[in-house]
Amino acid sequence: MAVLIITGIICSLTTRNLHKIILWFAPINVVASISICIALLVLTPNLQPASWVFGHFTDGSGWGTPFSFFLSFLSVAWVMTDYDGTTHMSEETHDAAIRGPQAIRWAVTISGLVGWMITVTLCFCTTDLDAVINSPTGMPAAQIFLNAGGKTGGTIMWFFVILVQFFTGCSAMLADTRMAFAFARDNALPFSTYVPSPPLPPPSSRSESVV
């Protein structure tokens, strides 16, 4: 509940203040991800060989290797989240018809590259698959961090994971609230009349750049 309240307060800030937060959060996200990957690869003993990382398939579902292969694509959801959030913020963006698509393109590119790097790094550092999956922490990724950096190093890396997750939640809530606001304003949600929102401006006064 505290996390939701804090996230709601952040999402209630003005667009200018939110822009300032993103200016320092985005670099931290990328730099922390790259730094964690380097630390894991350097500190983890007995890394898995590339043949295992790129050529080994584990049928953890019991439905056969082909199904398990396609099921593994679910990991993309962890690294390709909220890249479309800019579309929900278009009404608050200058030159949205140009900057909106540009933001999505860069978000997809950076998220794809960094996410692929993280996924491959975790595979290299999964030295004992069964032990990691059955980790006493209940979180396989946390166990990988502990194996590499011990309690202190693993906690430091985990702190940045929590920080990135928190602001990812802020990004998701921000996009959701803007989208809900737009739908309610256009009477497209149940009980739209109970959602406080200003009336739509006449078409002639709207910016042509807003998508």
Side-chain angles (χ1 to χ4, degrees):
M1 292 298 296
V3 171
L4 289 176
I5 292 173
I6 295 173
T7 303
I9 293 173
I10 293 176
C11 292
S12 300
L13 298 175
T14 63
T15 304
R16 185 181 300 275
N17 288 328
L18 289 171
H19 176 68
K20 292 179 180 179
I21 293 175
I22 292 298
L23 283 180
W24 65 265
F25 163 65
I28 288 178
N29 190 351
V30 176
V31 172
S33 298
I34 296 175
S35 300
I36 287 175
C37 288
I38 294 175
L40 288 175
L41 292 173
V42 171
L43 298 175
T44 301
N46 303 320
L47 295 174
Q48 291 284 7
S51 58
W52 186 89
V53 173
F54 297 104
H56 179 76
F57 294 92
T58 300
D59 180 17
S61 66
W63 288 76
T65 299
F67 183 83
S68 295
F69 173 77
F70 288 111
L71 195 64
S72 67
F73 282 93
L74 288 175
S75 61
V76 176
W78 295 105
V79 296
M80 299 295 290
T81 302
D82 288 339
Y83 61 84
D84 61 333
T86 52
T87 60
H88 309 308
M89 299 288 292
S90 294
E91 293 185 352
E92 302 177 44
T93 304
H94 295 293
D95 298 326
I98 296 175
R99 295 188 178 183
Q102 286 179 339
I104 293 176
R105 181 187 64 191
W106 280 111
V108 170
T109 302
I110 295 174
S111 297
L113 292 175
V114 177
W116 181 84
M117 178 181 63
I118 292 174
T119 302
V120 172
T121 298
L122 292 177
C123 290
F124 273 109
C125 297
T126 306
T127 54
D128 188 337
L129 181 60
D130 292 332
V132 168
I133 293 177
N134 299 310
S135 168
T137 66
M139 297 176 288
Q143 188 61 49
I144 293 176
F145 291 168
L146 286 173
N147 293 342
K151 185 176 181 180
T152 301
T155 301
I156 293 174
M157 289 187 283
W158 199 248
F159 166 78
F160 284 100
V161 170
I162 293 174
L163 182 66
V164 171
Q165 289 279 7
F166 174 78
F167 280 100
T168 299
C170 290
S171 176
M173 179 178 285
L174 186 64
D176 292 341
T177 53
R178 263 45 175 192
M179 185 168 53
F181 174 85
F183 279 131
R185 181 194 58 195
D186 297 340
N187 295 318
L189 288 179
F191 308 106
S192 292
T193 55
Y194 295 99
V195 180
S197 59
L200 269 173
S204 59
S205 64
R206 298 185 201 175
S207 172
E208 294 180 355
S209 64
V210 174
V211 292

